[in-house]
Amino acid sequence: MNGFTYLTRFLSSHSSYSRLLLLSSVSTGGLLVYAESNVESRKQVVEENQSVSAKKRVVVLGTGWAGTSFLKDLDISSYDVRVVSPRNYFAFTPLLPSVTCGTVEAQSIVEPVRNIIKKTSGEIQFCEAQCLKIDPENNKVFCRSGINDNLVGHNDFSLQYDYLIIAVGAQVNTFNTPGVMEHCHFLKEVEDAQRIRRTVIDCFEKSVIPGQTDEERRTNLHFVIVGGGPTGVEFAAELHDFVHEDLVRIYPSVKDLVKITLIQSGDHILNTFDERISSFAEQKFQRDGIEVMTGCRVISVSDHFISMNVKSTGEHVEVPYGMVLWSTGVSTRPFVKDFMEQIGQGKRRVLATDEWLRVKGCNNVYGLGDCATVDQRKIMEDISAIFRAADKDNNGSLSVEEFQDVLEDIIIHYPQVDLYRKSKHLLEATDLLRDSKGNKREEVDIEGFKLALSHVDSQMKSLPATAQVAAQQGTYLAGCFNRWEQCKSNPEGPRHFKSSGRHEFLPFR
Amino acid sequence: MNGFTYLTRFLSSHSSYSRLLLLSSVSTGGLLVYAESNVESRKQVVEENQSVSAKKRVVVLGTGWAGTSFLKDLDISSYDVRVVSPRNYFAFTPLLPSVTCGTVEAQSIVEPVRNIIKKTSGEIQFCEAQCLKIDPENNKVFCRSGINDNLVGHNDFSLQYDYLIIAVGAQVNTFNTPGVMEHCHFLKEVEDAQRIRRTVIDCFEKSVIPGQTDEERRTNLHFVIVGGGPTGVEFAAELHDFVHEDLVRIYPSVKDLVKITLIQSGDHILNTFDERISSFAEQKFQRDGIEVMTGCRVISVSDHFISMNVKSTGEHVEVPYGMVLWSTGVSTRPFVKDFMEQIGQGKRRVLATDEWLRVKGCNNVYGLGDCATVDQRKIMEDISAIFRAADKDNNGSLSVEEFQDVLEDIIIHYPQVDLYRKSKHLLEATDLLRDSKGNKREEVDIEGFKLALSHVDSQMKSLPATAQVAAQQGTYLAGCFNRWEQCKSNPEGPRHFKSSGRHEFLPFR
């Protein structure tokens, strides 16, 4: 018995995406009527007969890095856990580019969710389904199984929750570029990687069929990557190795016709990384013969051509291709967007949480991984409240002792303070309170305090959308849940600076 | 670099089946117009610019057991070889039932064709395409690549041959039962096995989704196999083990709802095997709880029910199911059927070859494996010619010496003589010539000779449609091709009994 056996939904899951629907009206009864985008028979939602137990009901949406690491670390002795995900396995996504070229096999990077669940001591129930709708008012999620219609029984069901963990990741962002959905490959799921591998081989098989002109062979063997982020760059490198180490031996007659092109709208590839990394990659690609076209914006993709504007010249270019990988970034899934509108986050791009991963505007919903961002508090917004809380003797002035006393709590709420100290080498508390000339001060008033911390917020960084961040968030939140009861009776969080904060947990650091 | 990388066409190959077309008219020029079944743009056939070399052009259709073993053993120093197959890998098909349940992984049973080709010393060209039409008059095959239309260039091409090897196997036989193509699984290709595995898991995933009734779960977990041949029986056994060793641990809540049923139209499963094997299998299945329904003929399959007639009672039964495997036998591929009509074999069920694997009615086409049968000569048809050839002194009577002199040649042409001798323990030549009372004779006349051999033809057996037979045929034919030149100048075949035979080769024994 091995992981591969569980790769059940690779093919069918894609079709289920097209069946994503929007809930048109929500009744409060047990039944719910959907208006589905492609006209099918109306379906009933089955309300699950959840057993009423003393345990709090936790529903986890998603089994990627965030959801899985949460499940792995959760002590479920006091929770009744349901997991909903359209795929019944966890995938080690950073290796996806390697799967496209056969360096790593698909089954090596997946693990059945039920194996992960079994590792925890108790029983967690898993449903292979997609969440369609969150109803935060009634603490309910509506789900649909994407399993083929040949089987009997309802596909729709709802689950009641006390706590909801949203860890569904993000979806591909095409920036509404025409033709991208139809003609490009993406690299977010294991089945995407397998499809790319097949397509690469198809391009080679096609190029050795009798009767092609060299120009046709060249077009079919032109592999284009749109987007110079880590995924695109890694795929380009893998493909280059695949071509020059393996495929040239299998298809020797066409080895000189292969070309790999990377299109980047910005001026450099890997532009979110250190400049040295970015220029190393560009130079290496140049040596390898991978063409990097920077400053090009793709405006449409047809079945045989990529159309783009070259920024520097204003020129319009059409590039013929055999295969295109689109890897330009991610956007929010529709049901998360719908949820955001319900909770007053409709104007935001990504689901916002506070620094404890609690979704803003909800009391019992948590957002992890790529589908959410931590909305970091600005210290300047709270500066008066902090000053008041710190100024114990109410003399309108903060002594070094008073400041030292609240510093740890400040750092917990505002990690940017710590980043700022480290970047400026202000390692002692008194260093932070120096005046504009750099002299130490023993006391500061509110104006001096504001001035001292005025540059701190510029150190705020939003967390990168990586596997590491998602996994750490899952582990952190599981820790919070595990300590919940204990924290309720004996709160261990930082002190309040504003009355609104709940803080049973140690925050995310 | 490993085998799995090459499993390129698993998904797309299925779609290409639907594009099978029939050639409507053949012009003799370089261009050819097709009428395609699903209305697409008209396509051109590219005539390949084959280099004119001294070497004879051999085209091999198919890369299954027969084609691959032919290629493995062929000495290509005097042949220019082209291989056409819709899949660029060889599959170890007897392990397909094990792939369905994850006992064996798909990539363990496949080998890239180009790896096999490389093992021979010279260069063989491979095209991933389907043969659509054989034109025996002009020694040409018309092929179409099934690679996706996104790529540029012609998909159709033709190849000229001096010798053609047809080793394309057979296709599923539904006996025109309504609904089978739409709703049943088959188990002939690796992608079939993968699809079955996904469906089995789907059935289990569906059965644990909230809101199903037990009856619905039971239906979804009802696995039905139609056809009690080796494939069906092996799949049933594998599935039973899969369920009871692995799946019960993963889906404990539904383990008692699983049912496996095998439907057989005859009175026993494995009825082409020895009775002891057949009854052993039936008893084992009974102990394992696999229901065997014999004497049931399936008359249609709908999306949720199998309809059948029970022969013994005349009853009509409808059985609900979660998944059906259809494994009732094989039939001829359309382009082989079309070829058979062109060469006057239109009334036959399967392509017929003579005992040297030469397609009857052609001079330079060979048929191997499941797509062809060896049409064994009956000795009684040739008995006068044999007698004449044996009776060297023309005295109208055969002496033991005369008979002994031709016996080896007879056995080569008519292997049934050897089977007959062994089964009757007539081990010496004179034993064959005993009279009706069992007395040895020194001389026989033509009537006595006929009488002596009159029961021999009943020993004729058609060769089973197995991997072993196909592989042995490939090896045999490669040996023939390797010795061709030598045999032409120095024929080593058996003597002519009838003037029509060519016999440069040692025949297939």
Side-chain angles (χ1 to χ4, degrees), chain A residues 348-362:
Chain A
R348 297 189 56 101
R349 212 179 48 81
V350 182
L351 188 63
T353 71
D354 66 14
E355 59 270 53
W356 335 98
L357 304 183
R358 297 176 303 201
V359 170
K360 287 190 162 183
C362 295

Side-chain angles (χ1 to χ4, degrees), chain A residues 152-181:
Chain A
V152 300
H154 297 293
N155 276 345
D156 293 355
F157 60 96
S158 69
L159 293 174
Q160 201 78 38
Y161 62 82
D162 294 308
Y163 303 113
L164 177 65
I165 317 293
I166 307 177
V168 294
Q171 68 180 21
V172 161
N173 195 351
T174 66
F175 302 100
N176 294 321
T177 311
V180 171
M181 271 297 172

Side-chain angles (χ1 to χ4, degrees), chain B residues 356 386 390 400-415 417-418 421 429 432 492-495 497 506-507 509:
Chain B
W356 335 100
I386 296 170
V400 169
E401 290 72 37
E402 283 174 330
F403 181 60
Q404 214 139 24
D405 188 41
V406 295
L407 186 56
E408 199 189 330
D409 295 335
I410 290 176
I411 287 172
I412 287 172
H413 277 291
Y414 312 93
V417 174
D418 213 33
R421 280 167 74 196
L432 267 173
E492 55 172 323
R495 79 182 64 189
F497 291 122
L506 274 174
R509 298 190 245 199

Side-chain angles (χ1 to χ4, degrees), chain A residues 6 11 105 107 198 250, chain B residues 6 11 105 107 198 250:
Chain A
Y6 294 83
L11 307 175
E105 288 187 9
Q107 69 266 48
R198 284 190 302 273
I250 303 164
Chain B
Y6 292 86
L11 306 175
E105 287 186 9
Q107 70 266 45
R198 284 190 303 272
I250 302 165

Side-chain angles (χ1 to χ4, degrees), chain B residues 381-398:
Chain B
E381 283 177 6
D382 300 340
I383 198 96
S384 309
I386 296 170
F387 190 88
R388 267 199 308 282
D391 183 21
K392 278 194 182 153
D393 56 11
N394 273 318
N395 67 349
S397 164
L398 230 53

Side-chain angles (χ1 to χ4, degrees), chain B residues 34-53:
Chain B
Y34 290 86
E36 202 167 359
S37 55
N38 50 351
V39 187
E40 270 185 33
S41 62
R42 296 191 149 208
K43 302 199 176 187
Q44 287 187 326
V45 178
V46 174
E47 189 109 349
E48 204 211 358
N49 222 336
Q50 275 163 306
S51 58
V52 181
S53 74

